[in-house]
Amino acid sequence: MEESAKIFVAGHRGLVGRAIVRVLAAQRFRNVVTRDRGQLDLGDEAAVAAFFAYEKPEFVVLAAARVGGIKANSDYPVEFLLENLRIQNNVITAAHTHDVRKLLFLGSSCIYPKCAPQPILEDALLTGPLEPTNDAYAIAKIAGIKLCQAYAAEYGETFISAMPTNLYGPHDNFDLTSSHVLSALLRKAHEAKARGARELVVWGTGQPRREFLHVDDMADACVFLLQNYESPDIINVGCGEDISIRQLSELICEVVGFEGELTFDLSKPDGTPRKLLDVSRINGLGWRAKIPLREGIACTYAWLREHELTPASSA
Ligand code: GFB
């Protein structure tokens, strides 16, 4: 991928898209194209086609999606299915119609079966039932993978698909009703400490295990795959280790300096018991995650303190 190559980052304002733009700039890719939601509605097929006809990008990173944590996914399955299908269908078909050289589609670790053997191999896809709390999103992402693979098989397109594990980092979503666990617990611990609360409420039993990858590592992996991966086979992106939600909560309380008790709200779902990705395929290509979890949480918390939050909002 030449430094002058025109690269469209769809979803450049999101957690991953923003980090990808940072990494591309740091690696001196000078011709990065982006559009705000107000300038281009990726759910509008005609608008997306017109954009591709006008800009003719050579490379596309499809990082735009309707995303959210376990509660948002459970509450809005229609939106998670429909909006993601619309975005994916519009961008992937336009990439084919307008001769994009390479497209990188971002999936999710939730595409794998709820009880897949751990760590999860890419071959586990479609070998068992999905986790019900996010199956609508998972099916949308699986459809995106299959569309990329179909374009590769039928038209010889280089449309590749990466499956990230749970991500976190600066510019994450810290809204407690729609966010993922790490950002939610950071905010809750910060606010509990600020108001001198005696407890921090954690959803579920605390027993599920999750793997967490800092978004800067994910963005670095995306640019690495754009330059080094051509296969239509999906490829996992993760750090290769996981932690229980209880251990994560304790680590976050330590980083934030909250000394109260953890209370587990059993009325909330646990979701998938575990989803540790097997990352030997991407490691074998020469890419590894670099940012340790504690360091990543500390820098995310520093960003959070700098950019928002009044102690007033309740946890
Ligand atoms: O990160 P999370 O919302 O989504 O929840 P998933 C992970 C675990 O953390 C669940 C627990 O067991 C939650 O019950 N948890 C504890 C909390 N406290 C909280 C809290 O305050 N907020 C949240 N959100 N969780 C997501 C999918 O699944 O994984 C997405 O919903 C995506 O679509 C993402 O695939 C990668 O990790 O369970």
Side-chain angles (χ1 to χ4, degrees), residues 70 73 108 110 134 137 166 179 181 188 203 210 269-270 275:
I70 194 164
N73 271 269
S108 166
C110 74
N134 53 39
Y137 179 68
N166 288 48
S179 61
V181 59
K188 288 184 184 180
W203 294 353
R210 292 292 184 273
D270 271 343
K275 44 180 177 177

Side-chain angles (χ1 to χ4, degrees), residues 70-134:
I70 194 164
K71 183 172 183 336
N73 271 269
S74 307
D75 293 349
Y76 304 106
V78 169
E79 289 73 18
F80 275 84
L81 191 53
L82 269 184
E83 286 179 34
N84 288 311
L85 285 175
R86 286 191 182 119
I87 291 169
Q88 292 164 190
N89 292 345
N90 293 343
V91 174
I92 296 168
T93 50
H96 165 66
T97 309
H98 298 279
D99 305 319
V100 163
R101 283 168 56 191
K102 190 168 189 178
L103 177 140
L104 168 60
F105 171 63
L106 299 190
S108 166
S109 59
C110 74
I111 63 164
Y112 293 114
K114 175 176 180 127
C115 300
Q118 308 281 325
I120 306 173
L121 292 166
E122 288 91 348
D123 301 347
L125 180 60
L126 294 176
T127 58
L130 296 167
E131 158 58 39
T133 56
N134 53 39

Side-chain angles (χ1 to χ4, degrees), residues 240-309:
E241 53 193 57
D242 62 359
I243 184 173
S244 76
I245 298 303
R246 172 187 286 274
Q247 290 165 329
L248 174 71
S249 306
E250 290 161 354
L251 177 56
I252 285 175
C253 289
E254 226 179 280
V255 167
V256 169
F258 174 69
E259 293 171 354
E261 297 300 315
L262 297 179
T263 307
F264 292 91
D265 174 359
L266 303 184
S267 72
K268 294 288 191 312
D270 271 343
T272 304
R274 194 176 185 204
K275 44 180 177 177
L276 174 64
L277 297 182
D278 180 295
V279 287
S280 43
R281 187 172 285 177
I282 195 168
N283 289 170
L285 291 175
W287 183 88
R288 275 184 186 280
K290 299 183 191 66
I291 303 171
L293 183 58
R294 174 188 283 272
E295 179 188 321
I297 291 174
C299 82
T300 304
Y301 184 44
W303 183 90
L304 178 62
R305 282 202 313 275
E306 204 181 307
H307 290 79
E308 59 179 85
L309 291 188

Side-chain angles (χ1 to χ4, degrees), residues 9 14-24 27 61-64 104-109 137 141 160-170 211-227 234-239 277 279 282 287-292:
V9 179
L15 174 67
V16 181
R18 203 182 277 264
I20 289 172
V21 169
R22 284 200 298 269
V23 169
L24 287 170
Q27 295 191 20
V61 180
L62 181 40
L104 168 60
F105 171 63
L106 299 190
S108 166
S109 59
Y137 179 68
K141 287 295 180 180
I160 64 175
S161 301
M163 298 304 120
T165 190
N166 288 48
L167 302 174
Y168 73 97
E211 177 186 14
F212 295 100
L213 183 72
H214 191 284
V215 70
D216 288 352
D217 271 337
M218 179 62 201
D220 187 60
C222 288
V223 178
F224 175 86
L225 290 171
L226 273 175
Q227 296 170 292
I234 61 177
I235 186 163
N236 289 339
V237 185
C239 65
L277 297 182
V279 287
I282 195 168
W287 183 88
R288 275 184 186 280
K290 299 183 191 66
I291 303 171

